[in-house]
Amino acid sequence: MKNCVHKHHKKKQELASLTGRLRREARKITSPRAAILEILRHHPHPLTIKEIFAELPKGGCDLATIYRAMQMLEKLGMVKRFDFGDGAARFELVGEGEDGHHHHLICTRCAGVVEIDECFPEEIERRIASVNGFAGVTHRLEFFGVCPGCQK
Amino acid sequence: MKNCVHKHHKKKQELASLTGRLRREARKITSPRAAILEILRHHPHPLTIKEIFAELPKGGCDLATIYRAMQMLEKLGMVKRFDFGDGAARFELVGEGEDGHHHHLICTRCAGVVEIDECFPEEIERRIASVNGFAGVTHRLEFFGVCPGCQK
DNA sequence: CTTAAGTTGCAAACGATTTGCAATTGAAAA
DNA sequence: TTTTCAATTGCAAATCGTTTGCAACTTAAG
Ligand SMILES: [Mn+2]
Ligand SMILES: [Mn+2]
Ligand SMILES: [Zn+2]
Ligand SMILES: [Zn+2]
């Protein structure tokens, strides 16, 4: 088996581990929540609410339930919210203990997504923070371009 | 007079130069448009539609007119649209010939904005593009933190 | 099994942005 | 200048993603 050189090939989290995190936070493991987590853990890229809704088994739950679930999961730090600038929030599972900070490269033609390992250079960010006297500085960063398949 | 070391201290554009650009593009110089440009050219940071609306002289124009004006100005490359992730688009004038690409540092407490000169390192972006076979790659990047005044 | 707090479905409410349309206006043409 | 007409505006209604109130329903305890 070849060695994996991509940091973003994060291992799929066990559903039991996810529900365990929920239980520990005194949250109920409901069927909508289990279904949502099940969908998220099978997807490597951030999903919109509608995408999650679409993947839900027949008779899935209400859209409002997904919105509420994502809010809660975000508050617990179990999912990370991303903004690709198209008006719809996207969510990706975050491994236990991790903060989920990372970036994406998005195809402006087909909306395809690539997980990116690079981050904005720490020392430059530190300089930006100190020069302006800001504390607790982070950043939101996404790349856009045309993927190989979409280049005519 | 001291030398200016901040690239973002861009000079205020003349209203005549702005209307000239409009005229050249076969757009009418209407009173709402002149008022909007006048407001934009007096502000160093991106403004939301509501902020522009609020600064409009009494009996200003309709919100829809501002939305339409910003769409047009953006298409002509006269303003650049920014997204601070709070659901409201922000617009900043772009100098003639420039593309307006730059970033901001936003205070998560008071929403104060600082114009940032730094950009994501070109060679890293180029590497991200080539590694993934993407063409025409750019990025959207904003920094967030707590400004000096808001640090208790 | 009983129970109470936590959750859900559904519909209404929201906030930002867009759009249809009739009335108005800027600026080219006469 | 005055005429003329496409471009533009105001207003209201429509969209879209997201949130919220509330009554009915579950989950996890006890
Ligand atoms: Mn990702
Ligand atoms: Mn700016
Ligand atoms: Zn593509
Ligand atoms: Zn502040």
Side-chain angles (χ1 to χ4, degrees):
Chain A
M1 177 198 196
K2 292 166 68 181
N3 248 323
C4 176
V5 295
H6 300 294
K7 284 182 272 177
H8 61 259
H9 281 180
K10 44 184 181 296
K11 67 181 76 60
K12 206 174 284 185
Q13 299 181 60
E14 296 295 334
L15 183 58
S17 144
L18 293 168
T19 57
R21 287 211 255 168
L22 270 192
R23 212 181 319 276
R24 236 171 292 139
E25 297 281 353
R27 290 319 201 302
K28 294 184 175 173
I29 321 291
T30 64
S31 122
R33 288 177 180 175
I36 292 170
L37 289 173
E38 190 60 24
I39 289 170
L40 287 175
R41 80 188 200 84
H42 285 93
H43 283 272
H45 305 310
L47 293 177
T48 63
I49 298 285
K50 302 177 72 165
E51 286 170 341
I52 294 174
F53 184 69
E55 302 240 2
L56 236 32
K58 56 275 190 173
C61 67
D62 192 84
L63 270 181
T65 300
I66 307 183
Y67 278 103
R68 284 191 273 235
M70 300 319 290
Q71 278 184 163
M72 182 216 53
L73 292 174
E74 184 185 21
K75 179 154 34 192
L76 299 194
M78 291 180 59
V79 301
K80 176 105 182 152
R81 176 190 301 259
F82 290 97
D83 180 357
F84 289 181
D86 65 351
R90 279 154 216 272
F91 303 87
E92 200 176 314
L93 266 188
V94 172
E96 182 141 36
E98 299 166 28
D99 78 328
H101 178 89
H102 69 284
H103 314 289
H104 304 89
L105 170 56
I106 301 126
C107 177
T108 52
R109 289 238 224 295
C110 70
V113 176
V114 176
E115 300 290 320
I116 298 298
D117 294 330
E118 283 81 5
C119 195
F120 188 82
E122 276 183 48
E123 96 275 12
I124 303 184
E125 178 165 277
R126 241 180 284 123
R127 188 156 55 78
I128 290 175
S130 76
V131 162
N132 296 286
F134 272 59
V137 172
T138 15
H139 57 270
R140 220 182 262 321
L141 163 67
E142 304 294 354
F143 300 90
F144 299 87
V146 182
C147 78
C150 288
Q151 294 167 37
K152 201 170 6 342
Chain B
M1 176 199 198
K2 292 166 66 180
N3 250 324
C4 175
V5 295
H6 299 295
K7 286 182 272 176
H8 61 258
H9 282 180
K10 43 184 180 294
K11 67 182 76 61
K12 207 174 281 184
Q13 299 181 59
E14 297 295 336
L15 182 58
S17 144
L18 293 168
T19 58
R21 287 211 256 168
L22 270 191
R23 211 181 320 277
R24 237 171 293 140
E25 297 280 353
R27 291 318 200 307
K28 294 184 176 175
I29 321 290
T30 64
S31 121
R33 287 177 181 177
I36 292 171
L37 288 173
E38 191 60 24
I39 290 169
L40 287 175
R41 75 188 204 87
H42 288 300
H43 284 272
H45 305 310
L47 293 177
T48 64
I49 298 284
K50 303 177 73 164
E51 287 169 340
I52 295 174
F53 184 68
E55 302 240 3
L56 237 30
K58 55 275 187 176
C61 67
D62 193 85
L63 270 181
T65 300
I66 307 183
Y67 277 103
R68 284 191 272 234
M70 301 319 292
Q71 279 184 163
M72 184 216 51
L73 292 173
E74 184 184 21
K75 179 154 34 193
L76 300 194
M78 291 179 59
V79 301
K80 176 105 181 153
R81 177 190 300 258
F82 290 97
D83 180 358
F84 289 0
D86 64 351
R90 279 155 217 271
F91 303 87
E92 200 176 314
L93 267 187
V94 172
E96 181 142 36
E98 300 166 27
D99 78 327
H101 178 89
H102 69 284
H103 313 289
H104 304 88
L105 170 55
I106 301 126
C107 176
T108 51
R109 289 238 224 293
C110 70
V113 176
V114 176
E115 299 291 319
I116 298 297
D117 294 330
E118 283 80 6
C119 195
F120 188 81
E122 277 183 47
E123 95 277 11
I124 302 184
E125 178 165 277
R126 239 178 289 122
R127 188 156 54 79
I128 290 175
S130 76
V131 161
N132 296 286
F134 272 58
V137 171
T138 15
H139 58 270
R140 220 181 262 320
L141 163 68
E142 305 293 354
F143 299 90
F144 299 87
V146 182
C147 77
C150 289
Q151 293 167 37
K152 201 168 10 335

